[in-house]
Amino acid sequence: MFSLKNKTAFVTGAASGIGAAIAETFAHSGATVWIADRNEADGRSVAGRIGGNFIALDVTSEADCALAAESVGALDILVNVAGIGHVGTLIETTSADLDKLFAVNVRGVFNCCKTFAPGMLERKSGSVINMASIAGVVAVRERLAYTMTKFAVVGLTKAMALDHSHTGVRFNCICPGRVETPFVLARLKEYPDPQAAYRDMASTQLNGRMLKPDEVAAAALYLAADESAMVTGSTLMIDGGWSAGK
């Protein structure tokens, strides 16, 4: 198990799903963890369960991000998980849909990096992990806006890694396939045949199942740990082989 002892981590979107799994994994590995989310009730629940700290955060707000940085102080690990999805083709996607997704999925990542990275750069140490998606590497049907935003996250991560390659601060992103998050499981219940819908959604992954949040958290732990000191600018695929034939 990689150790994060004496490190402080800040995880956005940590009230549930992948973010909560990362926060819990980091806490078990010795880190002091800040759970940041708009969902105060669930966020405080996660914080209480893992012995972490909760802070209310709207990643689209520069002011919120600045206040969070003041509260947290020196930071070793930043994990940008907060994000939203949208189903739709070009014809079915409105400008408002696109603006909403970019505000959270792209501008939100930018805001947090812009706020926390300067302190890391000053201390010449830190790991920034951005949650992208399989949709940041290959296009996904009926996910036009989502695909656009996740390609942007991958590009943002690579650009930051390139610009700050000799500073001791690393920038990487994780690209999961479909993950069994509470959001996805809730959506499956809306289908006439949830089991058939699950099989259809999981079929893009070569092993025929979705990822578990803990499996994504394990990858984040590696990227946060000192053992990955030579890893920066990477796009870590955890997609059950989805992208293998692309």
Side-chain angles (χ1 to χ4, degrees):
M1 175 71 74
F2 299 115
S3 174
L4 301 182
K5 187 178 180 181
N6 298 323
K7 293 184 183 294
T8 299
F10 187 87
V11 186
T12 73
S16 65
I18 295 172
I22 291 173
E24 185 167 0
T25 296
F26 282 13
H28 288 167
S29 299
T32 298
V33 183
W34 286 81
I35 288 86
D37 205 291
R38 293 179 64 179
N39 185 333
E40 184 168 351
D42 289 350
R44 289 192 181 281
S45 176
V46 173
R49 187 171 72 246
I50 69 172
N53 309 289
F54 172 78
I55 187 166
L57 177 70
D58 177 355
V59 297
T60 69
S61 167
E62 292 182 49
D64 266 22
C65 292
L67 286 173
E70 290 180 13
S71 299
V72 173
L75 189 67
D76 302 292
I77 306 158
L78 169 64
V79 189
N80 290 303
V81 182
I84 57 176
H86 179 265
V87 177
T89 65
L90 171 67
I91 305 306
E92 298 161 338
T93 302
T94 67
S95 296
D97 293 330
L98 188 62
D99 289 345
K100 182 179 180 180
L101 258 73
F102 262 89
V104 178
N105 294 1
V106 182
R107 187 62 181 266
V109 175
F110 172 85
N111 284 344
C112 288
C113 289
K114 184 76 171 177
T115 301
F116 285 104
M120 293 180 173
L121 293 169
E122 184 177 342
R123 293 187 298 278
K124 301 185 185 306
S125 177
S127 175
V128 176
I129 305 165
N130 296 325
M131 197 58 57
S133 165
I134 178 69
V137 178
V138 299
V140 177
R141 290 183 185 277
E142 299 181 346
R143 300 293 191 280
L144 174 84
Y146 185 75
T147 297
M148 291 173 68
T149 63
K150 293 304 182 178
F151 264 78
V153 171
V154 171
L156 170 63
T157 304
K158 289 180 176 293
M160 292 188 295
L162 190 63
D163 287 340
H164 305 292
S165 58
H166 301 294
T167 64
V169 181
R170 300 180 292 111
F171 299 84
N172 294 289
C173 62
I174 297 174
C175 293
R178 290 198 167 106
V179 185
E180 286 185 19
T181 63
F183 173 79
V184 169
L185 294 176
R187 281 204 64 229
L188 286 172
K189 293 178 182 178
E190 299 171 3
Y191 287 82
D193 187 341
Q195 290 184 336
Y198 178 98
R199 289 193 297 270
D200 180 61
M201 292 180 70
S203 65
T204 51
Q205 297 173 159
L206 301 186
N207 55 7
R209 73 167 176 85
M210 293 191 205
L211 290 154
K212 305 292 186 183
D214 287 349
E215 293 174 310
V216 182
L221 175 59
Y222 168 67
L223 292 175
D226 292 340
E227 284 80 357
S228 61
M230 285 296 289
V231 183
T232 191
S234 73
T235 304
L236 181 53
M237 307 299 299
I238 311 175
D239 62 355
W242 186 340
S243 60
K246 302 296 184 180

